[in-house]
Amino acid sequence: MKRNVPLMIAMLGGLIMMIQYFIPHQASQDVFDYYTEWAPLVGSFALILGVGSITRVHVHKIRAKAPNWPFSLAVLIPLYLIPLFAFFLPASIGGGTENPSLFDFMYSRVQIPIQATMFSMLAFYIASAAFRAFRAKSALATVLLVTAVIVMLAQVPIGDLLGRWLPDTGLWILRFPNLAAKRAIELGVGFGMLATCLKIIFGVERGWLGGAGE
Amino acid sequence: MLKHLELLLLVAALPFGTATAQTASPGDPGEAAAAVTVDSLAAIPTVEPEVAAPPEVGPATVLTIQDFPNDAGDHLILSFCESPNPECVLAYLVMRRTPGAPDSLGGQWAVVKNVPSGDPTEIVDGYDPDFLVEPGTQYEYRVDVLTLDGRQIEGPAVTPNFSPKGEIFHTEKLKVLIGCIIFIGLIFLYFKRAQMGHELYLRPIPGIDAIDEAIGRATEMGKPILYVPGLSSIEDVATIASLTILNRVAKKVAEYQTPLRVPNRDPIVYTVAEETVKQAYMEAGRPDSYEANSVFFVTDSQFAYVAAVNGLMTREKPATNFYLGMFWAESLLLAETGSLSGAIQIAGTDAITQLPFFITTCDYTLIGEELYAASAYLGREPKQVGGVKGQDACKGIVMALVTIGIVLSIVDIFTGGAADPSKSLLLKLQGLVDVTSLE
């Protein structure tokens, strides 16, 4: 029962979605809309479990005085304090709309800049990854290095100055070998997705069931 | 005294101008002078500006109204005949109403489309969210002409003898349906062959073969294994594929008694991952070794998640990192940190844009479909292997079509089809298999 009911729900849901794709009728569209409306609902309830998980992990670390346990406090305090700001101090402290509320302040002046900082670090990571990737240790790595140099120079004005052949070659690489490889991967991904979906719908793949899988 | 009174009256009457002066007594000399001035003004002939009569502009008429094919009954195609005097027309206003309905429910005429003069005269009604077409509702249309001089000339109203209806089958998706039937048929054929005991060969994938080695390395070093199931939600097939691999990895991890860390970004993925790992420990006969905090939710914020996982890698220094699932900009941030921490890294994703980052920073990368096949490789169950072979058969069909396309394009060069599309064999083949016009 624990295994068959989820399998039947998955099969029924999968088949309904598959069939509705071919039926443009309003009733079919309504089923699709109704079905997809459930996803955010389930997600919002699962968020409670998620918050429970993060709390449990960090409370355990604090209690056990695990290494770096003060960082757990740095997670738990804002986790509960910021929603309290949103619920109990929704308006600006100074009044009016010019001064943001405490919640807005924490979000726009703390969280967003921190996230932007994380994202901007990507530039440095790209540089170090590129350095490692472009070391011409083998014939294939040399091909990669030469190709990357041509494509990069083709994108900037200096490439055009060095010679018209450079942007043309860069464009050719992007249009033909690169696009062919991308399409081949996309094709494989498409078939892989379809096969995985079929395996789930017909109960061949049960790993997603977690504890009810076997 | 009387003379003074007359003077006073004259002063008082002055502001009233000539109109008052005309009524004055003719015996007064001053008033007489004023009357002369008025007479001379009246003698100037008045030049009336010549206003040309507005040109005659004929109305536009509705030609046809048709139900839009392959829709939910929420679109209509209308074509109209332009005014016979297009040079005087600024635009055509397609008006619609629902006969018999109250004004608030579309009973009065409303402009559903403004078609500038010279634009195509066939329109599809129903795209404007303010004027949706309801299936089963009878509408009345007319096309008004908006002239260059600002007049609106009404056209005759036309009521079609049908109401829009949704179709039961999308005829343009027939090719997709045939493709699906072939694909499903091949998958089931190989399921059956695998079940019957046929030996099905799967080419070795180094990334999958390295999983055992990577887990063994972590066990030897006494360090944890980090498994990142991607940052997407459970609706993503890549996430589901990742969770099935997690099941196999967790089973091996449980056998080797190695610590496992599975940070999650999506709360639903977290609950499924937790159950998957728990079950894997039970299957391995080590339920007591399962750590309740090994699978945990971090945050649904992308870069906060990256910060947390990078922190975990820096502090705990896992010996093996798995990144399997869907990734975006965080892929390089995670993999480069893992690489710097000295871990052996196995990644797999179907995100083409992130593959180069994983290839440069990880020891092994499962490219695209290999992620979906990994579960079959690890489990080796007949049906799973049959599924992979079915996929390969479908790819074989596509490769055959591509080869035929190449041959036909060469033939077109010699037969003149390359220059004349009507003779092109390649375009004929494309017409048979192309579904790119679909949503």
Side-chain angles (χ1 to χ4, degrees), chain A residues 117-208:
Chain A
T117 308
M118 282 303 298
F119 188 41
S120 59
M121 282 169 69
L122 195 60
F124 302 101
Y125 279 81
I126 286 175
S128 68
F131 173 73
R132 198 174 322 114
F134 294 160
R135 273 182 301 178
K137 286 187 291 188
S138 62
L140 282 175
T142 313
V143 172
L144 180 71
L145 173 66
V146 172
T147 313
V149 168
I150 291 172
V151 172
M152 280 193 290
L153 283 175
Q155 308 296 316
V156 288
I158 198 168
D160 203 18
L161 281 174
L162 288 172
R164 187 59 227 165
W165 64 272
L166 204 56
D168 290 345
T169 314
L171 200 64
W172 182 86
I173 290 169
L174 288 176
R175 271 193 188 167
F176 297 99
N178 183 58
L179 191 63
K182 268 171 78 175
R183 281 185 180 163
I185 295 171
E186 276 172 0
L187 199 72
V189 168
F191 282 129
M193 280 171 122
L194 265 169
T196 307
C197 291
L198 283 174
K199 283 191 277 185
I200 291 167
I201 288 171
F202 296 110
V204 176
E205 182 65 75
R206 296 176 184 186
W208 61 276

Side-chain angles (χ1 to χ4, degrees), chain B residues 304-356:
Chain B
Y305 178 86
V306 173
V309 177
N310 282 0
L312 193 150
M313 282 194 249
T314 315
R315 284 190 302 274
E316 297 194 21
K317 299 233 181 292
T320 303
N321 296 337
F322 290 100
Y323 311 105
L324 300 167
M326 184 67 197
F327 292 88
W328 287 277
E330 68 287 340
S331 62
L332 185 62
L333 293 171
L334 293 170
E336 185 65 5
T337 309
S339 174
L340 293 173
S341 73
I344 183 169
Q345 302 201 99
I346 298 173
T349 184
D350 59 356
I352 294 173
T353 48
Q354 305 308 321
L355 278 170

Side-chain angles (χ1 to χ4, degrees), chain A residues 87-123:
Chain A
F87 284 123
F88 298 111
L89 295 167
S92 160
I93 294 168
T97 53
E98 285 177 11
N99 299 318
S101 68
L102 209 50
F103 171 75
D104 285 340
F105 180 84
M106 296 296 284
Y107 181 71
S108 58
R109 311 281 166 87
V110 179
Q111 191 175 340
I112 289 178
I114 288 174
Q115 286 183 350
T117 308
M118 282 303 298
F119 188 41
S120 59
M121 282 169 69
L122 195 60

Side-chain angles (χ1 to χ4, degrees), chain B residues 103-425:
Chain B
D103 286 355
S104 58
L105 295 171
Q108 63 179 356
W109 289 106
V111 182
V112 291
K113 188 91 178 175
N114 188 330
V115 183
S117 178
D119 276 15
T121 55
E122 186 176 272
I123 63 139
V124 179
D125 185 21
Y127 286 122
D128 189 338
D130 292 332
F131 301 102
L132 292 173
V133 170
E134 292 292 331
T137 307
Q138 186 101 34
Y139 292 103
E140 190 175 14
Y141 284 92
R142 75 166 201 241
V143 179
D144 288 3
V145 176
L146 190 64
T147 62
L148 289 169
D149 53 10
R151 287 174 296 147
Q152 186 170 336
I153 295 158
E154 281 185 19
V158 173
T159 310
N161 56 0
F162 65 91
S163 52
K165 281 195 184 80
E167 279 76 28
I168 298 298
F169 180 71
H170 197 303
T171 50
E172 285 178 22
K173 288 181 180 172
L174 184 66
K175 289 176 205 168
V176 181
L177 182 65
I178 293 168
C180 282
I181 290 169
I182 294 171
F183 182 71
I184 294 170
L186 280 169
I187 295 265
F188 275 96
L189 176 74
Y190 279 94
F191 277 176
K192 192 80 186 163
R193 289 189 69 177
Q195 271 183 319
M196 285 165 70
H198 282 92
E199 195 64 39
L200 299 174
Y201 172 75
L202 291 179
R203 71 176 171 87
I205 297 176
I208 297 170
D209 294 342
I211 288 177
D212 277 343
E213 181 198 321
I215 296 169
R217 180 178 182 261
T219 311
E220 281 171 16
M221 293 172 78
K223 286 184 173 179
I225 289 169
L226 176 73
Y227 190 101
V228 180
L231 273 80
S232 191
S233 61
I234 197 77
E235 291 136 45
D236 206 317
V237 188
T239 309
I240 296 174
S242 175
L243 290 172
T244 58
I245 301 167
L246 173 63
N247 181 268
R248 320 279 183 192
V249 169
K251 221 180 273 181
K252 287 195 166 65
V253 164
E255 283 166 12
Y256 293 139
Q257 301 266 302
T258 313
L260 177 69
R261 301 280 177 269
V262 188
N264 291 278
R265 186 206 178 189
D266 186 89
I268 301 179
V269 176
Y270 150 68
T271 51
V272 180
E274 190 178 38
E275 285 301 312
T276 303
V277 174
K278 218 183 272 181
Q279 179 65 20
Y281 273 76
M282 284 174 72
E283 283 165 20
R286 307 263 186 189
D288 51 313
S289 303
Y290 173 71
E291 277 182 67
N293 292 336
S294 61
V295 185
F296 53 95
F297 172 75
V298 180
T299 170
D300 64 353
S301 165
Q302 184 187 16
F303 291 108
Y305 178 86
V306 173
V309 177
N310 282 0
L312 193 150
M313 282 194 249
T314 315
R315 284 190 302 274
E316 297 194 21
K317 299 233 181 292
T320 303
N321 296 337
F322 290 100
Y323 311 105
L324 300 167
M326 184 67 197
F327 292 88
W328 287 277
E330 68 287 340
S331 62
L332 185 62
L333 293 171
L334 293 170
E336 185 65 5
T337 309
S339 174
L340 293 173
S341 73
I344 183 169
Q345 302 201 99
I346 298 173
T349 184
D350 59 356
I352 294 173
T353 48
Q354 305 308 321
L355 278 170
F357 296 132
F358 280 139
I359 290 168
T360 47
T361 49
C362 294
D363 299 279
Y364 299 97
T365 306
L366 305 178
I367 298 171
E369 64 184 314
E370 291 174 353
L371 173 70
Y372 299 108
S375 176
Y377 272 79
L378 290 167
R380 293 274 167 183
E381 286 118 7
K383 276 192 174 179
Q384 294 268 18
V385 177
V388 177
K389 293 305 285 183
Q391 256 173 265
D392 287 348
C394 292
K395 275 192 286 181
I397 293 173
V398 174
M399 281 165 69
L401 284 172
V402 170
T403 312
I404 293 168
I406 293 167
V407 172
L408 290 183
S409 66
I410 295 166
V411 171
D412 276 349
I413 295 169
F414 295 107
T415 58
D420 183 3
S422 64
K423 288 182 188 169
S424 171
L425 294 170

